[in-house]
Amino acid sequence: MGMPRLLSDDTGLWQLVTRDVVPLRLRPPVSIRRAPVAALKLPQPAQPKAPPVRLKAPVALPPLDQRNAGVDRATAERVKRGRYPVEARLDLHGLTQAEAHTALAHFVVRSRNIGRRCVLVITGHGRITGGILKAAVPRWLGETDLRPHLLAVTPAQPRDGGTAALYLLLRRLPREA
């Protein structure tokens, strides 16, 4: 495979980009037809018309193992150690963020509505992307739509996925009078 042929507009840009590049040893330099750099028209950055809006810093969620406020210590330890029976699993591998967010919300609400107490959400490590879902799921669980359904969130034990999965302890539904 050779280098693709550059169009005349691309040649000047290529020269500008590669002007400081040093060839690797044992490789002959590639010669490119030189176009005058002055003829190159680069887009000018847009000037801001108003000062940037400063947003409030995002509210930091407590670490996962500190999200056990509504649970006694013994129950929190049982969940954390994986000794609470996992009644359902949701594997988010291969889903986009939008698909995963929707699936997570439906899974949590449905699981609570049918009376499940402990469920497992598998996010994966994200070898290629660096764990986008692994970082997003705890954030989503802290949102106002999902937070009321949860009592505790803690990383799973290695046998259940380790840091690539989370145990969720769901609140019981209120008893009907």
Side-chain angles (χ1 to χ4, degrees):
M1 289 176 53
M3 188 170 160
R5 188 169 181 90
L6 297 176
L7 300 174
S8 61
D9 294 344
D10 294 336
T11 305
L13 182 59
W14 180 251
Q15 286 176 330
L16 185 64
V17 170
T18 61
R19 68 177 171 225
D20 297 332
V21 175
V22 178
L24 294 173
R25 287 181 281 150
L26 303 175
R27 290 191 180 180
V30 176
S31 63
I32 299 175
R33 190 182 65 179
R34 304 265 178 201
V37 176
L40 183 63
K41 294 179 184 177
L42 295 175
Q44 297 298 320
Q47 297 297 324
K49 295 177 183 172
V53 177
R54 293 184 186 246
L55 300 174
K56 291 182 179 179
V59 177
L61 295 172
L64 288 175
D65 46 352
Q66 293 178 7
R67 293 188 193 173
N68 302 330
V71 179
D72 63 86
R73 181 176 286 168
T75 302
E77 280 299 312
R78 282 182 61 205
V79 174
K80 184 178 177 182
R81 294 178 190 266
R83 294 195 177 130
Y84 217 97
V86 173
E87 299 173 71
R89 299 176 195 288
L90 173 66
D91 191 343
L92 300 175
H93 282 104
L95 299 181
T96 65
Q97 284 189 63
E99 293 168 340
H101 190 247
T102 302
L104 178 67
H106 288 296
F107 177 71
V108 169
V109 171
R110 184 170 182 271
S111 292
R112 182 176 180 214
N113 285 340
I114 62 176
R116 293 180 180 146
R117 290 286 287 157
C118 185
V119 295
L120 180 72
V121 176
I122 302 165
T123 61
H125 286 294
R127 291 185 183 122
I128 297 172
T129 59
I132 291 173
L133 293 179
K134 182 179 175 182
V137 167
R139 202 172 56 243
W140 296 338
L141 293 172
E143 292 175 349
T144 56
D145 294 347
L146 291 178
R147 190 179 319 131
H149 297 285
L150 304 172
L151 278 175
V153 178
T154 188
Q157 290 294 308
R159 69 178 177 274
D160 289 323
T163 59
L166 298 169
Y167 295 126
L168 309 181
L169 185 62
L170 304 176
R171 292 184 185 275
R172 288 191 175 103
L173 288 175
R175 293 183 184 181
E176 295 180 22

